[in-house]
Amino acid sequence: MTTAALANEVRNDWSLDEIHDLFALPFNDLLFRAQTVHRRNFDPNLVQVSTLLSIKTGACAEDCAYCSQSAKYDTGLARERLLPLAEVIAAAETARAKGATRFCMGAAWRNPTDKNLDRVIEMIQAVRSLGMQTCVTLGMLSESQARRLRDAGLDYYNHNLDTSPEFYGNVITTRTFQDRLDTLRQVRGAGINVCAGGILGMGESGNDRARMLQELANLPQHPESVPINMLVQVEGTPLHGSEPIDALAFVRSIAVARILMPRSYVRLSAGRTEMSDETQALCFFAGANSIFYGERLLTTDNPGADHDQALFARLGIAREALDLEADRQTCGGSGH
Ligand code: SAM
Ligand code: DTB
Ligand code: SF4
C-alpha cells in the first residue's frame, strides 16, 4: 500500500484496509506523504477559487438532515423562487471582479424539471460568456438532462455522495446512495466534469469517513473536483447539535483524499467560518487546493473575501488563474 501511495499512481481499486492504514499513520507522516503527492501533481502554492450562488432557495422535498433548505425542517429560511437571469449575471460579475474563476449555482431541488433546465441553461450560457467556468448543482439528473447541460457548455456538475453508504440512511431517507451514483454516472457519461465529495462532522465514524473516500476514489474515474465540507450546523435541522469533528481529524481526511485522488482538486468547502486560520493552513498543506470564496455559501456564511485574501497573503498562496480557452480546448468543453 505505502509504495502505491508514494508512487502517485491513479488507482480506482483502493481497499478499505489501505485507507485505514493511511488514516492510522502518524500525523507528520500522513501530511508529508500527502504533500509529496500534491507537489507531484500541482503547484503547492496555487488555490482554485469558486463562488457559490443559491439560484433557488428553500422548500426542498428532500429530507437531508444537515440542510437549511429542506421543507421538512423549520430553519427560519425564507424561500425564494428561481432567480431572474439579470441577478445571476450581476452576482457572477461581482464574483469575477473579486477573483473567482468558477461560478457555482445551486438549486434546492430533488431534481430539475425540463422547464427548470431551460432557465438554468440560459444562466450557464450567460456566466460562461463572462469568461468564467460554470458549475451547477440541481439534484438528480436524467441522461437527457445531463446531455442538455453538456450541450449548453456546462463545465462541472456538483453532486455529493455526502457520506458512506452505511451511514447514509441516518442522514437522508428520500433518495438512496445508489440514486447519487446513478446521477454521477449520467454526468460522467455526458462528458461533464464531475464535482463530488461529502460532509464530515455529522456524527459518522472513522470507518464511515474511510468508506466515503473509498467510494469516491473507486468511481470509474476520479471526480475532477472533490469538495470536503465540514457540517455547518443549522438550527432546526436534525443534525444541529452534532459533536463537531476534531480539526486534526478533518485535516487527516483531506490528506487521505489527496493521496487517494492525486490529480483531483480537493476543495476545503463549507465550514471554514468555524475553522482557525491555522487549521485551514494545515488543510492546504495536506493537499487542499480549492475553496469557496465570497461572503456566502448557499444559505450560510463563509469567511469574507478580505479575510481570505489576508490568509492567502500570510501563506504565500496565490489564486489560480484560468486559461479558459486552453482549458476548454484540451478537455472538450470542460476543465481540469
Ligand atoms: N439540492 C441539490 C442536491 O442536494 O443535490 C443541490 C444543493 S445541495 C445544498 C449541495 C450539497 O451541499 C449537499 O449535497 C451537501 O453535501 C452540501 N451541504 C448542504 N448543506 C450543508 C451543510 N449545512 N453543511 C455542509 N454541507 C452542506
Ligand atoms: C458542496 O460540496 N458544498 C457547497 C456546494 N457543494 C453546493 C454547498 C455548501 C452549503 C453549505 C450550507 C449552506 O450554505 O446552505
Ligand atoms: Fe434539498 Fe439539496 Fe438540501 Fe438535500 S441538500 S434538502 S436535496 S437542497
Side-chain angles (χ1 to χ4, degrees):
M1 177 285 296
T2 47
T3 15
L6 279 173
N8 194 37
E9 287 171 55
V10 172
R11 291 178 46 199
N12 305 78
D13 62 352
W14 291 95
S15 76
L16 192 57
D17 283 347
E18 287 177 303
I19 299 174
H20 277 303
D21 286 350
L22 287 171
F23 270 106
L25 284 170
F27 189 76
N28 286 340
D29 289 347
L30 175 61
L31 261 69
F32 177 72
R33 198 168 291 191
Q35 175 68 199
T36 304
V37 170
H38 191 47
R39 278 172 186 265
R40 288 198 185 135
N41 295 289
F42 292 99
D43 180 328
N45 301 310
L46 285 183
V47 168
Q48 185 277 334
V49 299
S50 297
T51 293
L52 280 165
L53 177 69
S54 181
I55 56 170
K56 184 270 168 184
T57 306
C60 183
E62 305 271 356
D63 69 352
C64 312
Y66 48 77
C67 189
S68 61
Q69 305 200 67
S70 167
K72 318 255 187 224
Y73 318 125
D74 184 8
T75 62
L77 185 73
R79 61 178 294 187
E80 277 173 32
R81 291 181 188 284
L82 193 57
L83 289 184
L85 180 62
E87 271 186 49
V88 175
I89 296 174
E93 280 172 338
T94 304
R96 185 183 59 173
K98 287 190 179 168
T101 52
R102 191 178 308 162
F103 196 63
C104 307
M105 296 168 270
W109 288 320
R110 173 174 165 78
N111 54 266
T113 63
D114 290 341
K115 270 197 169 161
N116 292 151
L117 221 55
D118 295 342
R119 301 265 313 272
V120 173
I121 282 172
E122 285 176 6
M123 295 174 187
I124 292 167
Q125 287 169 337
V127 172
R128 213 169 179 256
S129 70
L130 297 176
M132 299 181 86
Q133 288 180 331
T134 52
C135 177
V136 295
T137 179
L138 314 172
M140 294 186 276
L141 287 187
S142 68
E143 188 180 350
S144 64
Q145 289 181 324
R147 263 192 270 115
R148 285 189 66 201
L149 289 170
R150 187 253 341 261
D151 292 344
L154 178 68
D155 297 296
Y156 289 79
Y157 195 86
N158 166 249
H159 198 68
N160 290 339
L161 293 184
D162 275 358
T163 189
S164 70
E166 295 76 22
F167 193 68
Y168 186 88
N170 296 54
V171 182
I172 300 134
T173 69
T174 48
R175 75 164 90 130
T176 65
F177 195 82
Q178 186 59 46
D179 289 333
R180 290 182 183 262
L181 293 174
D182 290 346
T183 293
L184 291 180
R185 188 166 35 78
Q186 303 300 3
V187 173
R188 179 60 81 202
I192 301 168
N193 285 307
V194 171
C195 172
I199 309 177
L200 306 181
M202 300 194 291
E204 72 285 345
S205 65
N207 189 57
D208 291 314
R209 289 174 200 150
R211 284 281 295 121
M212 179 183 90
L213 293 176
Q214 183 187 28
E215 289 284 332
L216 290 167
N218 289 349
L219 287 169
Q221 198 179 328
H222 292 167
E224 281 72 16
S225 186
V226 181
I228 306 292
N229 296 276
M230 190 177 82
L231 176 68
V232 178
Q233 300 214 6
V234 178
E235 250 184 86
T237 60
L239 290 179
H240 184 249
S242 300
E243 179 69 27
I245 178 174
D246 166 60
L248 297 183
F250 187 86
V251 175
R252 278 181 178 275
S253 304
I254 296 270
V256 174
R258 164 53 61 228
I259 294 168
L260 301 186
M261 294 169 278
R263 313 237 165 109
S264 303
Y265 279 77
V266 175
R267 182 171 307 120
L268 171 56
S269 302
R272 291 195 301 116
T273 52
E274 298 302 313
M275 280 176 214
S276 68
D277 286 352
E278 291 77 10
T279 298
Q280 295 184 58
L282 279 175
C283 288
F284 294 130
F285 189 71
N289 59 346
S290 171
I291 59 164
F292 287 123
Y293 179 70
E295 283 70 18
R296 294 291 277 173
L297 292 166
L298 288 174
T299 67
T300 65
D301 289 341
N302 197 38
D306 290 354
H307 185 95
D308 284 340
Q309 274 169 19
L311 177 59
F312 279 13
R314 286 167 71 204
L315 299 176
I317 285 176
R319 284 191 302 255
E320 188 181 78
L322 180 63
D323 182 349
L324 203 56
E325 279 318 306
D327 187 63
R328 284 178 180 163
Q329 272 162 22
T330 43
C331 307
S334 49
H336 188 104

